[in-house]
Amino acid sequence: MTEHAHKIAIQDTYGERFQHCWGCGPKNPDGLHLHTYPSEDGETTICQIKSDPQYTGGVPANLYGGMIAMIFDCHGTASAAWFNHHQKGLELTEDTVIGRYITARLEVDFKKPIPIDALITVRARPEEIGERKIIVNMEMEAEGVIRAKARMVAVGVKDDM
């Protein structure tokens, strides 16, 4: 059972030209297709992913640090888009074209290794929601333990960027 209430992934509501990210783009045939969902109350977001063994890191049988950062990157920008959308009182529907956010800064604190075969859960909450800038705090958990934390500064972009 998942913790999210919405059936629509935030990434699936990106405008056409923003749907090709390797990590989360629904239209990238070779990508990971990471999905982020709002919580029932809309105050947080969640994503879950299980990594393939090819993404092992310097510590055998544990996830590569760059992959951890990529998961935070994709989840964080989707979360920022949702937090902006939600603050405006808007819902997430099949017709939504959500405003796109990109990473301006990403700080990652690696706490403990992540076993390569573990289900990874990332939760995000807004620290600050500005007119164009959103600060997102995230925690990455596996096997009931917080393995990494991140803080992102995300900025809104225009559709013709």
Side-chain angles (χ1 to χ4, degrees):
M1 177 128 178
T2 57
E3 297 179 34
H4 57 81
H6 293 271
K7 296 187 184 338
I8 300 169
I10 296 164
Q11 290 87 347
D12 290 340
T13 68
Y14 288 167
E16 170 64 33
R17 63 188 304 267
F18 295 121
Q19 291 192 3
H20 304 279
C21 173
W22 178 82
C24 65
K27 293 196 174 165
N28 185 326
D30 300 317
L32 294 181
H33 305 128
L34 183 105
H35 288 138
T36 298
Y37 299 93
S39 62
E40 192 169 335
D41 65 6
E43 299 300 313
T44 62
T45 59
I46 187 169
C47 77
Q48 293 186 306
I49 187 170
K50 193 165 186 181
S51 181
D52 290 329
Q54 72 190 36
Y55 301 112
T56 189
V59 178
N62 287 282
L63 189 60
Y64 162 62
M67 187 66 120
I68 292 169
M70 182 281 304
I71 293 168
F72 278 135
D73 184 47
C74 288
H75 179 62
T77 55
S79 297
W82 166 252
F83 297 141
N84 175 60
H85 195 74
H86 181 63
Q87 181 171 296
K88 293 177 182 175
L90 300 171
E91 295 293 320
L92 202 60
T93 69
E94 291 179 12
D95 297 325
T96 298
V97 177
I98 204 161
R100 187 69 165 96
Y101 278 74
I102 59 172
T103 305
R105 182 176 179 89
L106 179 64
E107 301 167 10
V108 179
D109 293 323
F110 299 94
K111 302 289 189 186
K112 294 182 181 228
I114 299 175
I116 196 75
D117 59 350
L119 177 65
I120 299 165
T121 301
V122 185
R123 291 177 184 82
R125 68 179 58 256
E127 175 184 315
E128 177 185 313
I129 302 174
E131 192 171 316
R132 188 164 169 250
K133 176 180 85 171
I134 297 180
I135 299 174
V136 179
N137 289 308
M138 296 172 276
E139 291 186 334
M140 183 176 290
E141 174 265 323
E143 299 178 341
V145 176
I146 300 296
R147 307 290 179 145
K149 293 183 177 187
R151 184 173 186 265
M152 169 185 278
V153 176
V155 293
V157 296
K158 297 198 181 327
D159 192 47
D160 61 354
M161 175 189 167

